[in-house]
Amino acid sequence: MDWFAKAWALLHDPPYKALWPLGFKPLGGTTHEEEARRLLDLVLQGTKLGGGAPDEKTAKAVQAADMLASSFDRWALAPEGEARYWVKPKELVNPFNPALRTPLEIPAFDELRQRVMKYAEKVNEAVKAAGDEREAYFALYAAYELAWIDAGLPALPADTRMPTHTIFDHLYATAAVLNWIDENGSLRDDGCLLEIDIPGIQSLISSARKAGDYRAGSFLVSLAVWGTAWRYMEKYGPDVLLSPSPRFNPFHYLQVFHYVQIRKWKSEWGSKAYGLYTSVLSKALGMAAEHQFVKQIVEHAPVVPGTAYLALPSCDEARRAVDYFEEVLDDIRATALGEKEPWLPLVKAPGGDVLKIAKAALAKIPRRYLPLRVRTASIKEARPCAEEAAKGVGERAEFEVDPMRFIFWALLDVLRRKPAVPHAVYWFGKGGVPRFAQHYDGTWMHSTLDPDQPAVLRLSGVFVNGVLDYDDETKKVLGQLGVQNYNELKKVFKPKEALGPVDVLRRALYYRYRNKIDSVEAVALMRHYRMGYFKKCDELRRKVEEILDGGDAELLFGSSEAADKALAEAPKICDGDASLPPPTLMYAIVRADADNIGKLISGCLPAAPQPPDADVEGDIEQWKRDAERFRRLVKAVKEAFKEEVERVCGRGWTGAYVVPSPAYYATLSASLMITALKDVYIAMKHSGEVVFAGGDDLLVFAPMATAFDLASESRKAFEGDGGFHKLGAYVIPALAAYGKSYSIRAAHAITDFMAHEVNAAADLLEKAKDAVPGKDALAVSTSTGHAGFAKTQDAKLLKEIAEDYRTGKLSRNLPYDLERAYPPDTKCQNEEACLEAAKAVFTYVAQRNVKSGAQTAPTDLLKLLTNLEAREHGVGEPRKAEETPRWKTADLWKNAVELLKALREWA
């Protein structure tokens, strides 16, 4: 592997290239290419990668990768060597929503030079600590962007003529696609796009009894996918992983830090990279003084999804994905049993009785105990598709477009058209011979958590003096396994469970990782406990602490009714803070999903970016011709890709379509990672337990009191600050093209079946997205059957309504008074008249139910009726000539009533 060539791909443009029109040349280069070589000397001097200029072959290969990586909006512009004009750096444009822009914060030249020198020194420090060429490249990749951010330097565009992507988006994309370029600067026919995917993730994750089971399932998926990707990354470099991005990825920085700790890598550069990462993450989250909390986020973020995409030099190597996956599963199992040192971060063997159970349950297990699907697409397969696309676009745009520009899109298209090769889990061998160890008598049975697994443990239970305990047969089996402390074991493995091998594995891993199995009972009570609510009631406090330590609330209180009664009396016996709602075993499920994320990934935008019309110097006529060529390109692509646009964007799409490029994908993946980390931070800040956070999706268990704040802050974080995530002076474009929808569901920790409630929250999220015009939908529901829809912007209002219910400033009879005031068979002349009449009646009834001092006035409550009536459309969706509301008045009224009924659960 030519690690120096990969380093040059990252360094071929100086990060401050955009400032060239201003005469900013900190290292004195006469061209930006010469400046890049001087920066390379500073960054790599004294390192195992050496220094000096790249040879002709390296330069040619990187030049080809540079072109392949470039964003769609640069395709029509004159190559930099031929452009006789320049555009002054002024702003960065959000590539997903070009209407959003942020001005560049450019330091004075002397300050810039000083910071650049310190930046180069810090990167060099990390790279110099590496023990060989490969490690040196890993160090460069890990530190290059982070050190720039840490130095307080701004995000600058890759090209000021179309400032839609940062220079680092372009550089990291160039390093990735260099894997598809041979030493002659040509595309490798066998260059490969690999997709690995664990199917049925929702089923795997939701096979759960406690909140910790959900987290454990998500954790196991993240480990398996990351571990498989890491096998390729170790061999070819971190740049092979396209998605999830290694940039800002906690698994990436934990992995290199962990390799130093276990002495797989003998140098200390991993510690330096990890330190840079936590520093930068604190900037992203706005918590510079809370280093320990940042560390918790890094170590508790299940942000690696069940699907990964990799850019590999050969499809032959891609075919080893199943072997690598099985090796990783072997390693996870062996680590869980304490049979080998962990090479994956966060993986440790449990101890005591849990380890004894794990060893027995996992003594015999198929090597592939999780399913996998694999798809590959080669450059050779994609080339005809790219050539056809280039020809069609070129004819319409009236200028030639290099087919190489379309290779990335063509690879994705070929991949999409191929059926994924499934690699299932086989629990029985030839002749029906079990491939698992059964630790109970009789015929095998299914796991009570996951019907796709056979049970290896059957923990039968009986009630003794009103307390659920293992029965004698189970105790006999457990005794044979060496178990001694049944009471402690019950916190991990509950009586009346039948567990499969994967159930035991994920619970053992999670138990060792967190020293307990978190429950939704603990989620419901944690906030009050942290705020000192139980300080003055010792007996109740001890029970709450036992629950937080993994104890069973039903066993501790005797019944769910007794637990509810004891907590309801807490304000009296604990003399708790009256501003807080009483503690409860009710908790909230917060589920989120980005609107139109599939469209965004595919290139469907609200509008196309536009060339700047000011600050152009030099040959203005050439600039005008380039700008016109770009407008023709945008139109030509939409015409040539008509079928593709209708497939991915929808019929009659009026927005723009851009061809996804490696730079576009790099920006999107980095933005998803930052969004995911923000969601984890927000959830933890509000005492929530994150099951998964992918940037586009989210599942959190949260206290009732914080659910609306959590959803509201998550939505704001998704959009960023004016469409950008701010990391000090640095920015990353947010996915602010479309909205993000949420579902908040109230459920009881004991009496409601958690998996059912999670599924119900997800189902209502999809219904809300279908029902709410323009999306940005918010579904609010209860396990008792009430559900209503609102807009995400209404989250604060809904929280205030709930608080007014709780304090008695809003009558709990309001929804029932409204129900009686407007029967469903009300007749109106037309919908407009019907709505006006409804508004008047709604306001009158609300006035009778609102008391003095309420946060919500009748006019605020009226928004529950009117906010969904707006005749909004999703961005880019076709509009009809004669539009009518998508909601009829009777339905709006019923929805408002259901919302108000659901909110009573928060009182």
Side-chain angles (χ1 to χ4, degrees), residues 207-210 213 440 445-450 455-462 468-470 474 489-500 503-504 506-507 517 552:
S207 303
R209 178 177 67 84
K210 287 191 170 188
D213 286 335
Y440 54 90
M445 61 185 296
H446 293 280
S447 160
T448 53
L449 299 185
D450 180 4
V456 292
L457 290 175
R458 184 177 64 197
L459 305 171
S460 302
V462 293
L468 184 62
D469 196 3
Y470 301 123
T474 301
L489 190 68
K490 283 190 287 186
K491 293 180 180 180
V492 184
F493 303 113
K494 189 175 181 179
K496 293 196 173 183
E497 285 188 316
L499 301 176
D503 299 329
V504 175
R506 65 184 187 176
R507 202 171 281 183
I517 298 294
D552 190 304

mmCIF file of all heavy atoms in Angstrom, residues 207-210 213 440 445-450 455-462 468-470 474 489-500 503-504 506-507 517 552:
data_model
loop_
_atom_site.group_PDB
_atom_site.id
_atom_site.type_symbol
_atom_site.label_atom_id
_atom_site.label_comp_id
_atom_site.label_asym_id
_atom_site.label_seq_id
_atom_site.Cartn_x
_atom_site.Cartn_y
_atom_site.Cartn_z
ATOM 1 N N SER A 207 -35.893 -7.068 20.454
ATOM 2 C CA SER A 207 -36.049 -8.312 21.212
ATOM 3 C C SER A 207 -35.541 -8.041 22.624
ATOM 4 O O SER A 207 -34.411 -8.364 22.974
ATOM 5 C CB SER A 207 -35.247 -9.440 20.555
ATOM 6 O OG SER A 207 -35.654 -9.619 19.225
ATOM 7 N N ALA A 208 -36.400 -7.427 23.433
ATOM 8 C CA ALA A 208 -35.901 -6.843 24.666
ATOM 9 C C ALA A 208 -36.903 -6.964 25.803
ATOM 10 O O ALA A 208 -38.113 -6.993 25.591
ATOM 11 C CB ALA A 208 -35.573 -5.367 24.434
ATOM 12 N N ARG A 209 -36.363 -7.036 27.020
ATOM 13 C CA ARG A 209 -37.188 -6.965 28.233
ATOM 14 C C ARG A 209 -36.949 -5.659 28.961
ATOM 15 O O ARG A 209 -37.856 -5.107 29.567
ATOM 16 C CB ARG A 209 -36.861 -8.153 29.156
ATOM 17 C CG ARG A 209 -37.647 -8.144 30.469
ATOM 18 C CD ARG A 209 -37.340 -9.365 31.311
ATOM 19 N NE ARG A 209 -35.993 -9.406 31.817
ATOM 20 C CZ ARG A 209 -35.574 -8.784 32.923
ATOM 21 N NH1 ARG A 209 -36.413 -8.047 33.622
ATOM 22 N NH2 ARG A 209 -34.328 -8.897 33.328
ATOM 23 N N LYS A 210 -35.726 -5.163 28.936
ATOM 24 C CA LYS A 210 -35.377 -3.935 29.623
ATOM 25 C C LYS A 210 -34.771 -2.944 28.637
ATOM 26 O O LYS A 210 -34.384 -3.311 27.518
ATOM 27 C CB LYS A 210 -34.367 -4.213 30.747
ATOM 28 C CG LYS A 210 -34.960 -4.912 31.965
ATOM 29 C CD LYS A 210 -33.952 -4.889 33.110
ATOM 30 C CE LYS A 210 -34.592 -5.347 34.410
ATOM 31 N NZ LYS A 210 -33.690 -5.148 35.571
ATOM 32 N N ASP A 213 -31.540 -3.984 27.271
ATOM 33 C CA ASP A 213 -31.560 -4.947 26.171
ATOM 34 C C ASP A 213 -31.558 -4.223 24.829
ATOM 35 O O ASP A 213 -30.906 -4.647 23.868
ATOM 36 C CB ASP A 213 -32.802 -5.845 26.263
ATOM 37 C CG ASP A 213 -32.685 -6.880 27.373
ATOM 38 O OD1 ASP A 213 -31.557 -7.229 27.738
ATOM 39 O OD2 ASP A 213 -33.736 -7.333 27.871
ATOM 40 N N TYR A 440 -31.453 -27.227 29.526
ATOM 41 C CA TYR A 440 -32.714 -27.592 30.163
ATOM 42 C C TYR A 440 -33.195 -28.887 29.507
ATOM 43 O O TYR A 440 -32.746 -29.253 28.405
ATOM 44 C CB TYR A 440 -33.760 -26.473 30.022
ATOM 45 C CG TYR A 440 -34.007 -26.005 28.597
ATOM 46 C CD1 TYR A 440 -34.986 -26.596 27.797
ATOM 47 C CD2 TYR A 440 -33.260 -24.951 28.052
ATOM 48 C CE1 TYR A 440 -35.203 -26.163 26.506
ATOM 49 C CE2 TYR A 440 -33.485 -24.507 26.768
ATOM 50 C CZ TYR A 440 -34.456 -25.119 25.997
ATOM 51 O OH TYR A 440 -34.682 -24.696 24.707
ATOM 52 N N MET A 445 -37.025 -24.925 22.856
ATOM 53 C CA MET A 445 -38.067 -23.923 22.702
ATOM 54 C C MET A 445 -37.456 -22.632 22.170
ATOM 55 O O MET A 445 -36.240 -22.466 22.141
ATOM 56 C CB MET A 445 -38.759 -23.659 24.044
ATOM 57 C CG MET A 445 -37.834 -23.123 25.131
ATOM 58 S SD MET A 445 -38.643 -22.949 26.744
ATOM 59 C CE MET A 445 -39.861 -21.701 26.386
ATOM 60 N N HIS A 446 -38.323 -21.740 21.739
ATOM 61 C CA HIS A 446 -37.859 -20.449 21.229
ATOM 62 C C HIS A 446 -37.523 -19.508 22.380
ATOM 63 O O HIS A 446 -38.093 -19.597 23.464
ATOM 64 C CB HIS A 446 -38.935 -19.797 20.353
ATOM 65 C CG HIS A 446 -39.206 -20.528 19.076
ATOM 66 N ND1 HIS A 446 -38.392 -20.408 17.970
ATOM 67 C CD2 HIS A 446 -40.205 -21.377 18.733
ATOM 68 C CE1 HIS A 446 -38.877 -21.163 16.986
ATOM 69 N NE2 HIS A 446 -39.980 -21.762 17.425
ATOM 70 N N SER A 447 -36.631 -18.578 22.109
ATOM 71 C CA SER A 447 -36.352 -17.501 23.058
ATOM 72 C C SER A 447 -37.621 -16.681 23.278
ATOM 73 O O SER A 447 -38.378 -16.423 22.335
ATOM 74 C CB SER A 447 -35.246 -16.588 22.500
ATOM 75 O OG SER A 447 -35.256 -15.336 23.123
ATOM 76 N N THR A 448 -37.857 -16.292 24.511
ATOM 77 C CA THR A 448 -39.031 -15.456 24.804
ATOM 78 C C THR A 448 -38.806 -14.007 24.357
ATOM 79 O O THR A 448 -39.762 -13.236 24.280
ATOM 80 C CB THR A 448 -39.351 -15.468 26.306
ATOM 81 O OG1 THR A 448 -38.163 -15.116 27.042
ATOM 82 C CG2 THR A 448 -39.838 -16.833 26.738
ATOM 83 N N LEU A 449 -37.559 -13.647 24.077
ATOM 84 C CA LEU A 449 -37.275 -12.294 23.590
ATOM 85 C C LEU A 449 -37.218 -12.233 22.075
ATOM 86 O O LEU A 449 -37.636 -11.247 21.473
ATOM 87 C CB LEU A 449 -35.939 -11.787 24.160
ATOM 88 C CG LEU A 449 -35.820 -11.663 25.675
ATOM 89 C CD1 LEU A 449 -34.478 -11.035 26.043
ATOM 90 C CD2 LEU A 449 -36.956 -10.828 26.239
ATOM 91 N N ASP A 450 -36.681 -13.276 21.464
ATOM 92 C CA ASP A 450 -36.482 -13.286 20.021
ATOM 93 C C ASP A 450 -36.886 -14.641 19.454
ATOM 94 O O ASP A 450 -36.154 -15.618 19.589
ATOM 95 C CB ASP A 450 -35.004 -13.004 19.708
ATOM 96 C CG ASP A 450 -34.718 -12.992 18.216
ATOM 97 O OD1 ASP A 450 -35.663 -13.126 17.425
ATOM 98 O OD2 ASP A 450 -33.531 -12.831 17.849
ATOM 99 N N ALA A 455 -33.886 -21.184 22.470
ATOM 100 C CA ALA A 455 -33.469 -20.873 23.843
ATOM 101 C C ALA A 455 -32.380 -21.841 24.279
ATOM 102 O O ALA A 455 -32.498 -23.056 24.085
ATOM 103 C CB ALA A 455 -34.657 -20.954 24.790
ATOM 104 N N VAL A 456 -31.316 -21.313 24.884
ATOM 105 C CA VAL A 456 -30.275 -22.163 25.469
ATOM 106 C C VAL A 456 -30.435 -22.223 26.985
ATOM 107 O O VAL A 456 -29.943 -23.137 27.632
ATOM 108 C CB VAL A 456 -28.862 -21.653 25.110
ATOM 109 C CG1 VAL A 456 -28.603 -21.832 23.631
ATOM 110 C CG2 VAL A 456 -28.669 -20.199 25.511
ATOM 111 N N LEU A 457 -31.132 -21.235 27.529
ATOM 112 C CA LEU A 457 -31.442 -21.216 28.964
ATOM 113 C C LEU A 457 -32.943 -21.056 29.151
ATOM 114 O O LEU A 457 -33.558 -20.211 28.512
ATOM 115 C CB LEU A 457 -30.734 -20.042 29.671
ATOM 116 C CG LEU A 457 -29.222 -20.090 29.841
ATOM 117 C CD1 LEU A 457 -28.751 -18.770 30.450
ATOM 118 C CD2 LEU A 457 -28.808 -21.254 30.721
ATOM 119 N N ARG A 458 -33.524 -21.889 30.001
ATOM 120 C CA ARG A 458 -34.934 -21.709 30.375
ATOM 121 C C ARG A 458 -34.957 -21.464 31.877
ATOM 122 O O ARG A 458 -34.731 -22.372 32.685
ATOM 123 C CB ARG A 458 -35.760 -22.943 30.018
ATOM 124 C CG ARG A 458 -37.247 -22.736 30.297
ATOM 125 C CD ARG A 458 -38.057 -23.939 29.869
ATOM 126 N NE ARG A 458 -37.697 -25.123 30.652
ATOM 127 C CZ ARG A 458 -37.995 -26.371 30.307
ATOM 128 N NH1 ARG A 458 -38.626 -26.613 29.173
ATOM 129 N NH2 ARG A 458 -37.642 -27.395 31.080
ATOM 130 N N LEU A 459 -35.211 -20.223 32.240
ATOM 131 C CA LEU A 459 -35.158 -19.827 33.644
ATOM 132 C C LEU A 459 -36.568 -19.816 34.207
ATOM 133 O O LEU A 459 -37.204 -18.763 34.312
ATOM 134 C CB LEU A 459 -34.498 -18.459 33.772
ATOM 135 C CG LEU A 459 -33.087 -18.352 33.136
ATOM 136 C CD1 LEU A 459 -32.609 -16.922 33.111
ATOM 137 C CD2 LEU A 459 -32.106 -19.242 33.884
ATOM 138 N N SER A 460 -37.068 -20.980 34.543
ATOM 139 C CA SER A 460 -38.429 -21.082 35.078
ATOM 140 C C SER A 460 -38.498 -20.402 36.444
ATOM 141 O O SER A 460 -37.514 -20.365 37.186
ATOM 142 C CB SER A 460 -38.843 -22.553 35.209
ATOM 143 O OG SER A 460 -38.769 -23.190 33.939
ATOM 144 N N GLY A 461 -39.671 -19.859 36.762
ATOM 145 C CA GLY A 461 -39.798 -19.123 38.009
ATOM 146 C C GLY A 461 -41.061 -19.451 38.770
ATOM 147 O O GLY A 461 -42.046 -19.934 38.197
ATOM 148 N N VAL A 462 -41.034 -19.176 40.063
ATOM 149 C CA VAL A 462 -42.199 -19.351 40.932
ATOM 150 C C VAL A 462 -42.238 -18.170 41.912
ATOM 151 O O VAL A 462 -41.216 -17.526 42.172
ATOM 152 C CB VAL A 462 -42.118 -20.670 41.736
ATOM 153 C CG1 VAL A 462 -42.229 -21.873 40.827
ATOM 154 C CG2 VAL A 462 -40.835 -20.727 42.566
ATOM 155 N N LEU A 468 -40.979 -13.155 43.015
ATOM 156 C CA LEU A 468 -40.632 -14.053 41.923
ATOM 157 C C LEU A 468 -39.205 -14.551 42.089
ATOM 158 O O LEU A 468 -38.277 -13.764 42.261
ATOM 159 C CB LEU A 468 -40.793 -13.331 40.577
ATOM 160 C CG LEU A 468 -40.563 -14.171 39.315
ATOM 161 C CD1 LEU A 468 -41.575 -15.319 39.238
ATOM 162 C CD2 LEU A 468 -40.664 -13.295 38.061
ATOM 163 N N ASP A 469 -39.041 -15.883 42.037
ATOM 164 C CA ASP A 469 -37.724 -16.487 42.223
ATOM 165 C C ASP A 469 -37.558 -17.609 41.208
ATOM 166 O O ASP A 469 -38.527 -18.065 40.589
ATOM 167 C CB ASP A 469 -37.608 -17.032 43.654
ATOM 168 C CG ASP A 469 -36.168 -17.332 44.051
ATOM 169 O OD1 ASP A 469 -35.257 -17.055 43.237
ATOM 170 O OD2 ASP A 469 -35.962 -17.839 45.168
ATOM 171 N N TYR A 470 -36.321 -18.059 41.010
ATOM 172 C CA TYR A 470 -36.089 -19.236 40.176
ATOM 173 C C TYR A 470 -36.722 -20.454 40.841
ATOM 174 O O TYR A 470 -36.705 -20.576 42.077
ATOM 175 C CB TYR A 470 -34.586 -19.495 40.000
ATOM 176 C CG TYR A 470 -33.810 -18.366 39.359
ATOM 177 C CD1 TYR A 470 -32.719 -17.786 40.010
ATOM 178 C CD2 TYR A 470 -34.146 -17.885 38.096
ATOM 179 C CE1 TYR A 470 -31.976 -16.768 39.420
ATOM 180 C CE2 TYR A 470 -33.417 -16.859 37.501
ATOM 181 C CZ TYR A 470 -32.343 -16.304 38.175
ATOM 182 O OH TYR A 470 -31.612 -15.293 37.593
ATOM 183 N N THR A 474 -34.520 -24.858 37.959
ATOM 184 C CA THR A 474 -33.608 -23.839 37.431
ATOM 185 C C THR A 474 -32.421 -23.642 38.360
ATOM 186 O O THR A 474 -31.273 -23.524 37.912
ATOM 187 C CB THR A 474 -34.354 -22.509 37.232
ATOM 188 O OG1 THR A 474 -35.435 -22.716 36.314
ATOM 189 C CG2 THR A 474 -33.431 -21.423 36.704
ATOM 190 N N LEU A 489 -27.968 -12.310 40.374
ATOM 191 C CA LEU A 489 -28.142 -12.798 39.006
ATOM 192 C C LEU A 489 -29.498 -12.389 38.437
ATOM 193 O O LEU A 489 -29.627 -12.143 37.235
ATOM 194 C CB LEU A 489 -27.998 -14.321 38.979
ATOM 195 C CG LEU A 489 -27.916 -14.958 37.578
ATOM 196 C CD1 LEU A 489 -26.604 -14.573 36.907
ATOM 197 C CD2 LEU A 489 -28.032 -16.474 37.674
ATOM 198 N N LYS A 490 -30.504 -12.290 39.313
ATOM 199 C CA LYS A 490 -31.849 -11.936 38.850
ATOM 200 C C LYS A 490 -31.914 -10.528 38.273
ATOM 201 O O LYS A 490 -32.844 -10.201 37.538
ATOM 202 C CB LYS A 490 -32.861 -12.088 39.996
ATOM 203 C CG LYS A 490 -33.247 -13.536 40.278
ATOM 204 C CD LYS A 490 -34.415 -13.642 41.239
ATOM 205 C CE LYS A 490 -34.024 -13.309 42.651
ATOM 206 N NZ LYS A 490 -35.129 -13.551 43.606
ATOM 207 N N LYS A 491 -30.936 -9.685 38.593
ATOM 208 C CA LYS A 491 -30.889 -8.354 38.003
ATOM 209 C C LYS A 491 -30.529 -8.419 36.517
ATOM 210 O O LYS A 491 -30.828 -7.503 35.756
ATOM 211 C CB LYS A 491 -29.868 -7.480 38.728
ATOM 212 C CG LYS A 491 -30.241 -7.151 40.166
ATOM 213 C CD LYS A 491 -29.164 -6.282 40.800
ATOM 214 C CE LYS A 491 -29.512 -5.937 42.240
ATOM 215 N NZ LYS A 491 -28.466 -5.091 42.879
ATOM 216 N N VAL A 492 -29.878 -9.510 36.119
ATOM 217 C CA VAL A 492 -29.441 -9.656 34.733
ATOM 218 C C VAL A 492 -30.318 -10.656 33.988
ATOM 219 O O VAL A 492 -30.743 -10.409 32.858
ATOM 220 C CB VAL A 492 -27.963 -10.103 34.674
ATOM 221 C CG1 VAL A 492 -27.479 -10.166 33.227
ATOM 222 C CG2 VAL A 492 -27.093 -9.170 35.491
ATOM 223 N N PHE A 493 -30.602 -11.790 34.634
ATOM 224 C CA PHE A 493 -31.408 -12.841 34.009
ATOM 225 C C PHE A 493 -32.643 -13.098 34.872
ATOM 226 O O PHE A 493 -32.539 -13.704 35.946
ATOM 227 C CB PHE A 493 -30.590 -14.122 33.850
ATOM 228 C CG PHE A 493 -29.326 -13.936 33.051
ATOM 229 C CD1 PHE A 493 -28.086 -14.062 33.640
ATOM 230 C CD2 PHE A 493 -29.385 -13.630 31.701
ATOM 231 C CE1 PHE A 493 -26.921 -13.891 32.920
ATOM 232 C CE2 PHE A 493 -28.224 -13.451 30.957
ATOM 233 C CZ PHE A 493 -26.993 -13.584 31.565
ATOM 234 N N LYS A 494 -33.774 -12.638 34.417
ATOM 235 C CA LYS A 494 -34.988 -12.661 35.223
ATOM 236 C C LYS A 494 -35.670 -14.029 35.164
ATOM 237 O O LYS A 494 -35.714 -14.670 34.111
ATOM 238 C CB LYS A 494 -35.955 -11.582 34.720
ATOM 239 C CG LYS A 494 -37.163 -11.371 35.611
ATOM 240 C CD LYS A 494 -38.016 -10.206 35.111
ATOM 241 C CE LYS A 494 -39.218 -9.985 36.012
ATOM 242 N NZ LYS A 494 -40.048 -8.842 35.564
ATOM 243 N N PRO A 495 -36.230 -14.515 36.290
ATOM 244 C CA PRO A 495 -37.029 -15.743 36.248
ATOM 245 C C PRO A 495 -38.162 -15.622 35.231
ATOM 246 O O PRO A 495 -38.686 -14.536 34.990
ATOM 247 C CB PRO A 495 -37.574 -15.856 37.674
ATOM 248 C CG PRO A 495 -36.579 -15.125 38.514
ATOM 249 C CD PRO A 495 -36.103 -13.993 37.666
ATOM 250 N N LYS A 496 -38.509 -16.750 34.631
ATOM 251 C CA LYS A 496 -39.545 -16.863 33.595
ATOM 252 C C LYS A 496 -39.075 -16.357 32.240
ATOM 253 O O LYS A 496 -39.889 -16.089 31.363
ATOM 254 C CB LYS A 496 -40.839 -16.172 34.016
ATOM 255 C CG LYS A 496 -41.545 -16.853 35.190
ATOM 256 C CD LYS A 496 -42.977 -16.399 35.321
ATOM 257 C CE LYS A 496 -43.706 -17.231 36.383
ATOM 258 N NZ LYS A 496 -45.125 -16.864 36.502
ATOM 259 N N GLU A 497 -37.763 -16.234 32.056
ATOM 260 C CA GLU A 497 -37.205 -15.913 30.745
ATOM 261 C C GLU A 497 -36.643 -17.175 30.112
ATOM 262 O O GLU A 497 -36.126 -18.055 30.803
ATOM 263 C CB GLU A 497 -36.059 -14.901 30.865
ATOM 264 C CG GLU A 497 -36.486 -13.482 31.130
ATOM 265 C CD GLU A 497 -35.312 -12.519 31.029
ATOM 266 O OE1 GLU A 497 -34.226 -12.848 31.561
ATOM 267 O OE2 GLU A 497 -35.484 -11.448 30.439
ATOM 268 N N ALA A 498 -36.729 -17.256 28.799
ATOM 269 C CA ALA A 498 -36.020 -18.269 28.025
ATOM 270 C C ALA A 498 -35.151 -17.502 27.038
ATOM 271 O O ALA A 498 -35.661 -16.741 26.220
ATOM 272 C CB ALA A 498 -36.991 -19.187 27.292
ATOM 273 N N LEU A 499 -33.850 -17.665 27.153
ATOM 274 C CA LEU A 499 -32.925 -16.813 26.416
ATOM 275 C C LEU A 499 -32.127 -17.595 25.383
ATOM 276 O O LEU A 499 -31.658 -18.706 25.639
ATOM 277 C CB LEU A 499 -31.951 -16.137 27.390
ATOM 278 C CG LEU A 499 -32.586 -15.260 28.476
ATOM 279 C CD1 LEU A 499 -31.507 -14.742 29.421
ATOM 280 C CD2 LEU A 499 -33.354 -14.107 27.861
ATOM 281 N N GLY A 500 -31.974 -16.984 24.210
ATOM 282 C CA GLY A 500 -31.141 -17.547 23.169
ATOM 283 C C GLY A 500 -29.699 -17.132 23.340
ATOM 284 O O GLY A 500 -29.368 -16.276 24.170
ATOM 285 N N ASP A 503 -29.149 -13.386 22.955
ATOM 286 C CA ASP A 503 -29.704 -12.684 24.120
ATOM 287 C C ASP A 503 -28.690 -12.658 25.261
ATOM 288 O O ASP A 503 -28.454 -11.622 25.897
ATOM 289 C CB ASP A 503 -30.978 -13.381 24.625
ATOM 290 C CG ASP A 503 -32.079 -13.420 23.595
ATOM 291 O OD1 ASP A 503 -32.153 -12.495 22.768
ATOM 292 O OD2 ASP A 503 -32.868 -14.393 23.616
ATOM 293 N N VAL A 504 -28.109 -13.810 25.535
ATOM 294 C CA VAL A 504 -27.143 -13.922 26.633
ATOM 295 C C VAL A 504 -25.890 -13.112 26.324
ATOM 296 O O VAL A 504 -25.360 -12.390 27.181
ATOM 297 C CB VAL A 504 -26.778 -15.400 26.891
ATOM 298 C CG1 VAL A 504 -25.672 -15.504 27.942
ATOM 299 C CG2 VAL A 504 -28.003 -16.189 27.325
ATOM 300 N N ARG A 506 -25.396 -10.441 24.306
ATOM 301 C CA ARG A 506 -25.520 -8.982 24.359
ATOM 302 C C ARG A 506 -25.765 -8.494 25.787
ATOM 303 O O ARG A 506 -25.268 -7.444 26.186
ATOM 304 C CB ARG A 506 -26.618 -8.492 23.415
ATOM 305 C CG ARG A 506 -28.018 -8.923 23.744
ATOM 306 C CD ARG A 506 -28.978 -8.449 22.667
ATOM 307 N NE ARG A 506 -30.365 -8.713 23.031
ATOM 308 C CZ ARG A 506 -31.397 -8.337 22.299
ATOM 309 N NH1 ARG A 506 -31.207 -7.682 21.170
ATOM 310 N NH2 ARG A 506 -32.625 -8.606 22.683
ATOM 311 N N ARG A 507 -26.483 -9.294 26.573
ATOM 312 C CA ARG A 507 -26.727 -8.878 27.954
ATOM 313 C C ARG A 507 -25.441 -8.969 28.776
ATOM 314 O O ARG A 507 -25.171 -8.104 29.610
ATOM 315 C CB ARG A 507 -27.831 -9.740 28.571
ATOM 316 C CG ARG A 507 -28.502 -9.080 29.749
ATOM 317 C CD ARG A 507 -29.720 -9.852 30.208
ATOM 318 N NE ARG A 507 -30.887 -9.622 29.396
ATOM 319 C CZ ARG A 507 -32.090 -10.154 29.651
ATOM 320 N NH1 ARG A 507 -32.243 -10.945 30.704
ATOM 321 N NH2 ARG A 507 -33.105 -9.905 28.867
ATOM 322 N N ILE A 517 -27.959 -3.782 34.098
ATOM 323 C CA ILE A 517 -28.825 -3.764 32.928
ATOM 324 C C ILE A 517 -29.848 -2.655 33.159
ATOM 325 O O ILE A 517 -30.704 -2.756 34.032
ATOM 326 C CB ILE A 517 -29.532 -5.117 32.715
ATOM 327 C CG1 ILE A 517 -28.508 -6.220 32.472
ATOM 328 C CG2 ILE A 517 -30.501 -5.033 31.544
ATOM 329 C CD1 ILE A 517 -27.715 -6.081 31.193
ATOM 330 N N ASP A 552 -35.428 -4.828 40.362
ATOM 331 C CA ASP A 552 -36.757 -4.900 39.758
ATOM 332 C C ASP A 552 -37.750 -4.124 40.624
ATOM 333 O O ASP A 552 -37.974 -4.460 41.789
ATOM 334 C CB ASP A 552 -37.194 -6.366 39.635
ATOM 335 C CG ASP A 552 -38.459 -6.524 38.800
ATOM 336 O OD1 ASP A 552 -39.475 -5.896 39.138
ATOM 337 O OD2 ASP A 552 -38.406 -7.274 37.811
#
